[in-house]
Amino acid sequence: MPLARSFSMTSLSGVLPQWDEEDLPVDDLLLFEVAWEVTNKVGGIYTVIQTKAKITVDEWGENYFMMGPYYEHNFQTQVEACEAPLPAIRGAMDALISNGCQVFFGRWLIEGSPYVLLFDVGGASGNLDRWKGDLWDSCNIGLPSHDHEAGDALILGSLVAWFFKELTDRLGDAPNVIAHFHEWQAGAGLILSRARKIPMATVFTTHATLLGRYLCAGNVDFYNNLGKFDIDREAGERQIYHRYCLERAAVHCAHVFTTVSQITAVEAQHILQRKPDVITPNGLNVKKFSAMHEFQNMHCSSKARIQEFVRGHFYGHLDFNLEKTLYFFIAGRYEFSNKGADLFLEALSRLNYLLRVHKEDVTVVVFFIMPAKTNNFNVESLKGQAIRKQLWDTAQGMKEKFGKRLYEALLKGEIPEMNNILDRDDFSVMKRAIYATQRHTLPPVTTHNMLDDATDPILANVRRIGLFNARSDRVKIVFHPEFLSSTSPLLPMDYEEFVRGCNLGVFPSYYEPWGYTPGECTVMGIPSVTTNLSGFGCFMEEHVSDPAAYGIYVVDRRFRSAHESCSQLTQFMFGFCQQSRRQRIIQRNRTERLSDLLDWRFLGRFYVHARLLALSRAFPDKYEMDPMAPPKAEGFRYPRPYSVPPSPSASLHSTPHHSDAEDDDDEDEPYDEDEEAERDRMNIKTPFVLGGVPGGRRRSQLVEDEDED
């Protein structure tokens, strides 16, 4: 069966191979995806496999299965138990169960409802010593007794390999099996399967190298020294040499090795000593975040809720115009350097200086949404929201009384005097309300009481740069050391609502193999800042001619010094402050149109190609490949928007806010939203129609349904 030629990380510049439906023989195949995060939310890979499930089920139908560890609570709350559809799978499960190993089967209650096979790791722990011996005999990798996580990974891997042996023995020559393993925790299953010569095609994906995370966490100049590290010594000093060996062995055992981004591919080539065969970028179910044509209205309504919080948090110091206030944010795990919070804070200090020196009337409120150790809400923050609510109630009471008296006066044909509408008591109530807003301290930087206030990296750097929310500061900081929740008494919004209400997400990460946060901003139409050291930033630079024109600002942290990167980030933010309201609306429209690039309906094709490539290498007699055949590919690189002038200065004003006359002048800018949107859709949809479902069982069913309609 001829297949299209493979493509590697060096051939992704705007091309994507095409294939016909008959090149995807899902009826003759079984696909298994193995990950520690299946039904188990412990990391970012959970988001990958959960969001990708629907498009994979649409393609593979009843022939797709996920495999992971069994946890009783997760199974009871997320999985609907059922019987396996194939006799061979039931037989393989029975073989393990009869030997004292528990295996559970059901449907994972997420979009797509994929089948899941869950193995009881704890119940099989009595076999750990024997399986450690099997691993040593297979590949000379030993596991220390103190590393329980590695031990659990070996138990899962041994159970998975055992299951695949029983399954393939029962299946015989057909259908063939494809097994896709994610990260080193699932790697033991791949290693043992290959060592036992189990006849199946294997794919291994690393979402971030194990040693890379450890090195970057230690503030090492990682990317400029990739070729200089003594890998074995570095892993040994960090007591993860055995884990590194598992990861590297899995990489070299797999028929096809993939990773999530070009920057991680470079990292893997140096650390794991194998060049990835395919880049498989992470996607999103854009439909989940899609607001159709209402996303601009949703931005306004969510922004209004953020403004309510700001009114309370900055009471007594609310001498800035909320209509001229922009909201920036950074969110994610509290990895101060890896997530770029250090660079962000320094750039904010410089931005504050620029806004003050140029005497601009724009104010920037910056939110840090990073979970840290706290013991409760800050009393001053709670007090601010209480005072805001009290003022609102007072204003509503006055409004009711004022409206009633005005109504009666107008009925009599009179224009009332103010003293006749509001009496002395009313003025006293309003004066008391004004006095209640007086404040002799600065608005708090953090919304919670921090347990490590003196040593907290964000607060320590805030003290260093002197951004204490003073009246003269044009940049205000709010550190919210908890994930957002709609039940919070301070900022009652969930994360999606909050993102929609902000103007700019800033994620200047130093180590970010992919980066879901800027991706989520993009599909919600919110511009963002990323870096060329994140997978997302590299992906956008590769597929969009001018990312900044579409609201994706890419900071160069790979080839510039820290000072130069900070200056570039500062200029990005200052330039954003200089945009008019209409320019920001146009940019949000462009940003939202990039969401197709991040849709699994598009990015899932890279996974399809990895599986086809694995089949051609595992079963060359059945699935032939001509490596010399030119790939059938067409470009899908986004061009620079036609409405953006050649020089950025031509489209930016010299001051952040503009008068009504200036806003009227904006109407002369060459911009036709419908025409530009259609042009962008044509460019992204050239290789294939995104609305289509990949060929397979579900697709044929959908076509039949459409014919009936």
Side-chain angles (χ1 to χ4, degrees), residues 372-392:
K373 294 180 180 179
T374 64
N375 59 18
N376 212 331
F377 292 107
N378 186 306
V379 173
E380 193 65 21
S381 296
L382 290 171
K383 179 182 176 183
Q385 300 306 316
I387 289 176
R388 177 195 61 78
K389 188 176 184 306
Q390 182 181 9
L391 282 175
W392 174 257

Side-chain angles (χ1 to χ4, degrees), residues 98-114:
S98 63
N99 283 277
C101 300
Q102 295 300 310
V103 186
F104 300 85
F105 190 90
R107 284 193 180 274
W108 191 4
L109 300 178
I110 58 174
E111 196 171 5
S113 300

Side-chain angles (χ1 to χ4, degrees), residues 21 82 131 176 199 307 387 431 437-438 447 456 532 550 558 563 571 601 628 679:
E21 289 186 20
C82 65
W131 287 338
N176 293 128
Q307 287 176 331
I387 289 176
K431 288 179 181 178
T437 63
Q438 292 183 354
T447 58
D456 180 82
N532 60 354
Y550 286 92
R558 188 176 183 187
H563 171 74
Q571 288 303 316
R601 290 177 297 162
M628 301 305 294
R679 187 179 292 116

Side-chain angles (χ1 to χ4, degrees), residues 357-511:
V357 165
H358 289 83
K359 300 186 187 308
E360 310 295 3
D361 56 359
V362 163
T363 301
V364 177
V365 176
V366 184
F367 292 88
F368 286 75
I369 312 295
M370 292 181 161
K373 294 180 180 179
T374 64
N375 59 18
N376 212 331
F377 292 107
N378 186 306
V379 173
E380 193 65 21
S381 296
L382 290 171
K383 179 182 176 183
Q385 300 306 316
I387 289 176
R388 177 195 61 78
K389 188 176 184 306
Q390 182 181 9
L391 282 175
W392 174 257
D393 293 340
T394 300
Q396 289 300 106
M398 291 294 104
K399 173 185 170 184
E400 215 172 291
K401 186 181 292 186
F402 181 93
K404 184 178 180 180
R405 292 177 180 174
L406 176 62
Y407 171 67
E408 292 174 349
L410 292 176
L411 283 176
K412 298 176 182 178
E414 301 174 354
I415 297 180
E417 297 288 337
M418 182 61 68
N419 292 334
N420 295 332
I421 294 181
L422 297 176
D423 55 30
R424 181 175 297 179
D425 291 339
D426 295 329
F427 282 103
S428 298
V429 169
M430 289 190 288
K431 288 179 181 178
R432 282 201 305 271
I434 293 173
Y435 292 155
T437 63
Q438 292 183 354
R439 186 184 226 166
H440 303 291
T441 59
L442 294 175
V445 169
T446 178
T447 58
H448 292 62
N449 295 324
M450 303 290 294
L451 291 181
D452 301 318
D453 185 289
T455 59
D456 180 82
I458 289 179
L459 296 182
N461 277 269
V462 167
R463 297 184 187 103
R464 178 182 63 82
I465 62 179
L467 284 179
F468 298 120
N469 296 335
R471 292 183 184 274
S472 58
D473 289 331
R474 297 273 53 83
V475 174
K476 318 285 187 180
I477 291 180
V478 178
F479 179 22
H480 190 281
E482 275 188 0
F483 286 129
L484 296 172
S485 169
S486 58
T487 60
S488 170
L490 286 182
L491 188 55
M493 303 178 71
D494 61 29
Y495 180 72
E496 181 180 339
E497 288 180 297
F498 175 78
V499 171
R500 286 192 184 279
C502 289
N503 298 100
L504 183 70
V506 185
F507 313 101
S509 303
Y510 182 76
Y511 187 79

Side-chain angles (χ1 to χ4, degrees), residues 3-6 625-632:
L3 301 179
R5 192 183 71 170
S6 70
M625 173 184 292
D626 180 6
M628 301 305 294
K632 298 177 182 179

